């Protein structure tokens, strides 16, 4: 079977879910707590590609799930057991529940049928968040992972999904990390070993033609 046919089979809308990871204003937006990451996500085109994938998923009736990282203003339930968490608690922009920082960033459009899962702890958008149960209820077989960062949350999501039995597709131009040249190295030496690496255009081609029949 040709690679394009294999990818089309993996991405059939009745078994695929698109996951966006931490594509929120306080992470990749104009007033990010992590301006270097936000700048790379925008300059590389990764954020724009996530938006393109979300729009195509809506058109093809592929379920979209947005994973958001946030914390309560009082910090209850948040991790303190790693330098990353302690540093995040001191940042000038906090990902507080209900704040602008935890809204999905433009140009990504959130549709009524999208699911938004918010986590108060940990590094993974899947482990301990209820996402696995949602994916199983959605009859997900293939999880398309996008967003940030290639340093931490993206590999966590990919490893967790694979360990749970899902097939993972990573559009390499729809994820970002810092420094910018770290992302292709992570893809080549790590993610490609456990996931199918594609491009945004590859995925769009699978979802746009032929026109898929809606689940409804």
């Amino acid at each position: 079977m040709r690679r394009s046919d294999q990818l089309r089979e993996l991405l059939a809308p009745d078994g695929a879910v698109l996951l966006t990871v931490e594509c929120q204003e306080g992470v990749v937006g104009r007033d990010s707590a992590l301006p270097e990451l936000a700048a790379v996500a925008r300059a590389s085109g990764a954020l724009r590609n996530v938006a393109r994938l979300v729009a195509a998923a809506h058109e093809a009736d592929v379920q979209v799930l947005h994973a958001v990282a946030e914390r309560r203003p009082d910090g209850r339930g948040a991790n303190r057991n790693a330098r990353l968490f302690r540093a995040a608690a001191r940042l000038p922009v906090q990902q507080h529940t209900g704040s602008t920082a935890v809204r999905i960033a433009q140009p990504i459009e959130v549709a009524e049928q999208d699911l938004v899962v918010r986590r108060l702890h940990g590094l993974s958008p899947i482990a301990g968040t209820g996402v696995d149960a949602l994916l199983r209820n959605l009859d997900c077989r293939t999880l398309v992972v996008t967003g940030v960062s290639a340093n931490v949350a993206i590999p966590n999501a990919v490893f967790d999904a694979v360990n749970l039995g899902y097939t993972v597709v990573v559009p390499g131009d729809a994820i970002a990390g810092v420094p910018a040249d770290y992302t292709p190295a992570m893809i080549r030496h790590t993610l490609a070993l456990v996931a199918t690496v594609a491009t945004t255009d590859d995925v769009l081609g699978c979802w746009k033609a032929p026109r898929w029949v809606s689940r409804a």
Side-chain angles (χ1 to χ4, degrees), residues 29-173:
R30 301 296 181 186
D31 297 317
S32 170
L34 304 164
E36 183 182 1
L37 177 59
V40 170
R42 291 179 177 277
S44 68
L47 187 61
R48 180 175 62 86
N49 284 332
V50 174
R52 294 172 65 208
L53 288 164
V54 169
H58 292 158
E59 286 293 319
D61 198 32
V62 172
Q63 180 65 54
V64 178
L65 195 157
H66 305 281
V68 174
E70 60 182 51
R71 59 183 283 134
R72 287 168 49 118
D74 61 11
R76 288 181 182 272
N79 290 68
R80 299 177 180 84
N81 58 335
R83 186 175 70 174
L84 175 65
F85 301 123
R86 295 190 292 271
R90 297 192 297 270
L91 291 172
V93 177
Q94 291 293 304
Q95 316 297 323
H96 285 164
T97 302
S99 70
T100 301
V102 298
R103 294 178 185 170
I104 302 301
Q106 290 294 324
I108 299 168
E109 295 292 338
V110 180
E112 184 178 357
Q113 68 268 24
D114 292 1
L115 297 173
V116 180
V117 176
R118 304 177 182 277
R119 78 177 193 274
L120 294 173
H121 63 87
L123 299 170
S124 173
I126 295 178
T129 62
V131 165
D132 180 35
L134 292 174
L135 294 178
R136 295 190 188 283
N137 289 343
L138 292 164
D139 296 323
C140 175
R141 297 185 298 276
T142 300
L143 187 65
V144 183
V145 178
T146 66
V148 297
S149 71
N151 306 75
V152 179
I154 295 297
N156 265 271
V158 172
F159 294 150
D160 286 344
V162 171
N163 286 334
L164 289 166
Y166 301 102
T167 298
V168 177
V169 172
V170 177
D173 54 356

Side-chain angles (χ1 to χ4, degrees), residues 151-213:
N151 306 75
V152 179
I154 295 297
N156 265 271
V158 172
F159 294 150
D160 286 344
V162 171
N163 286 334
L164 289 166
Y166 301 102
T167 298
V168 177
V169 172
V170 177
D173 54 356
I175 67 171
V178 290
D181 59 3
Y182 179 77
T183 300
M186 164 61 77
I187 292 170
R188 178 179 179 183
H189 298 294
T190 302
L191 299 185
L193 302 178
V194 295
T196 297
V197 177
T199 67
T200 294
D201 286 341
D202 289 337
V203 178
L204 294 180
C206 292
W207 285 345
K208 287 185 175 179
R211 184 70 171 91
W212 292 96
V213 177

